[in-house]
Every structure is written in C-alpha cells, then in structure tokens.
Amino acid sequence: MDFTAIDFETASSRYTSICSMGICVVKSGLITERREFLIKPVPFEFTDFNIKIHGITPEAVMYKPTFDKYWPVIRPYLEGGTVIAHNTAFDITALCATLDYFGIEYPTCRCLCTVKLSRKAYPELESHRLNRLCEELGISFSHHHAYDDAYACAMVLNRILNENGLADLSGIYERFGVASERLYPGRRTKTLTKVKKSL
C-alpha cells in the first residue's frame, strides 16, 4: 500500500501555529523518503507548555518560511494519495485550518487515522498513544519530533497491514470498520462507505 504519513507540532493551542511538519513516504510497504520542515508559525506565539513537549523554540523558527511558502513542496506528497496521521482530529484539522488561514485550497486525498485503527487492531492494549503503542510493538522513535512521529505512524500502519494481510483502504474498512476521511478543494468529509482501490 502506498501512503504518506504526516505529523505536526504546534507552537500553541492554535491549529494554525504549526512550527514543524514531518513526512514519511511509503511505497509498496517500504519507506522511500522522510522529510522534516521547520516552519514559522502563525501567529508567532509560543507557549511554555508546547515548547516543553517538542523542544522547538521561537529562535529555532523565527527566520524560517511560513507554511504557505512550503506548500508547493508539501502538496505533491499529499495530492491524489492516502495520507495517514496518528490522530487525524488534530493533524488534519491543523492542516485544514492553516490552509484556510492562507486562503489555499485543500488537496484531494484520503485521510486515515491510525489511532482509530490501532484501537481496533490492538484492543487489548491499555493505551493507543503513539509512544505507548510503539513501545508495545517494538518500534523505536523519538516522540514529539515530527520527523520521527511520522515515521512511527507509518511503521504502525505497515505492521497492521502485514499482520492482517491487507493491501488497501477497502481492506482496512472491511476488516476493522475504520473509514477514511476525504479532503478535496472546499471540503473535508467523513467517508463511511467502502473506497475504491484506485485511491
């Protein structure tokens, strides 16, 4: 299965305050590319709480481009494909809020939440937080670093796919009843029916 795992870190509780983005590209089950972008958040306001979580300071990103400047590079990773995140309620919401802020159209893609999927795949686990889940699965990574979180998310999905002999979103829905969302220009929708293998 081909997909792109993403992760955002934010400077504050505002969804638009993205200060880091991690990307991990998977083709036919193999990781082919990993990237991280340090981003000047909007508004340019950091909270001590968020800095303590991810360690990114205002000084580290004050001269970095804002998200809209990175978008021509980021968009091809998302457009027309499957995008996964460990908690799409946060990451996809942050993406949409930031694109709205800059007046940029959403990409067309499917979005799958590995938190929801891991709860179905591993119901015996007490916690499905990314660090606890990866500890149980033997996946090593540095938590709350977008570069590593995207990688860990990709590894979780690969593990679930391999353990269950699944190859696409339709198989995931049929096996676990976990549906993908859909993004396309102007809208973000829940997809509650089976999806075509072409996407």
Side-chain angles (χ1 to χ4, degrees):
M1 179 172 163
D2 297 348
F3 59 88
T4 298
I6 65 172
D7 181 78
F8 293 116
E9 301 296 334
T10 57
S12 70
S13 61
R14 298 191 186 191
Y15 285 119
T16 61
S17 68
I18 294 170
C19 58
S20 177
M21 179 181 186
I23 292 176
C24 183
V25 180
V26 175
K27 302 287 187 184
S28 300
L30 299 176
I31 293 173
T32 61
E33 186 176 1
R34 295 174 66 186
R35 297 195 67 172
E36 183 172 33
F37 301 93
L38 289 176
I39 301 165
K40 183 176 182 178
V42 289
F44 191 70
E45 299 171 353
F46 282 74
T47 65
D48 291 340
F49 177 80
N50 287 59
I51 292 173
K52 186 176 181 179
I53 289 175
H54 50 60
I56 298 172
T57 63
E59 293 75 19
V61 296
M62 63 188 303
Y63 297 116
K64 298 295 182 181
T66 49
F67 190 85
D68 56 319
K69 300 300 191 299
Y70 281 117
W71 184 240
V73 177
I74 294 171
R75 184 177 191 124
Y77 289 103
L78 314 182
E79 185 66 44
T82 298
V83 178
I84 72 165
H86 203 70
N87 189 10
T88 55
F90 172 79
D91 292 285
I92 301 303
T93 300
L95 173 64
C96 291
T98 304
L99 293 176
D100 288 342
Y101 178 90
F102 287 110
I104 299 171
E105 286 191 337
Y106 300 166
T108 298
C109 59
R110 299 282 184 180
C111 304
L112 181 70
C113 180
T114 54
V115 169
K116 293 178 181 178
L117 181 58
S118 65
R119 287 172 181 159
K120 295 287 187 177
Y122 307 110
E124 72 280 4
L125 298 183
E126 292 184 6
S127 173
H128 296 86
R129 293 175 61 86
L130 189 58
N131 58 331
R132 296 284 299 279
L133 176 63
C134 287
E135 182 179 346
E136 292 289 341
L137 298 181
I139 299 169
S140 299
F141 77 113
S142 183
H143 196 209
H144 289 307
H145 290 78
Y147 179 83
D148 261 19
D149 282 5
Y151 162 78
C153 180
M155 292 294 289
V156 166
L157 181 54
N158 268 345
R159 178 77 168 264
I160 293 172
L161 293 172
N162 292 334
E163 288 180 348
N164 293 276
L166 303 175
D168 53 41
L169 293 176
S170 291
I172 290 171
Y173 182 74
E174 290 170 0
R175 173 68 177 82
F176 295 108
V178 176
S180 61
E181 297 179 64
R182 186 176 180 182
L183 279 187
Y184 53 93
R187 294 194 68 185
R188 173 186 181 184
T189 65
K190 291 282 188 179
T191 302
L192 298 178
T193 57
K194 297 177 185 177
V195 296
K196 295 180 180 179
K197 291 184 180 181
S198 60
L199 196 65

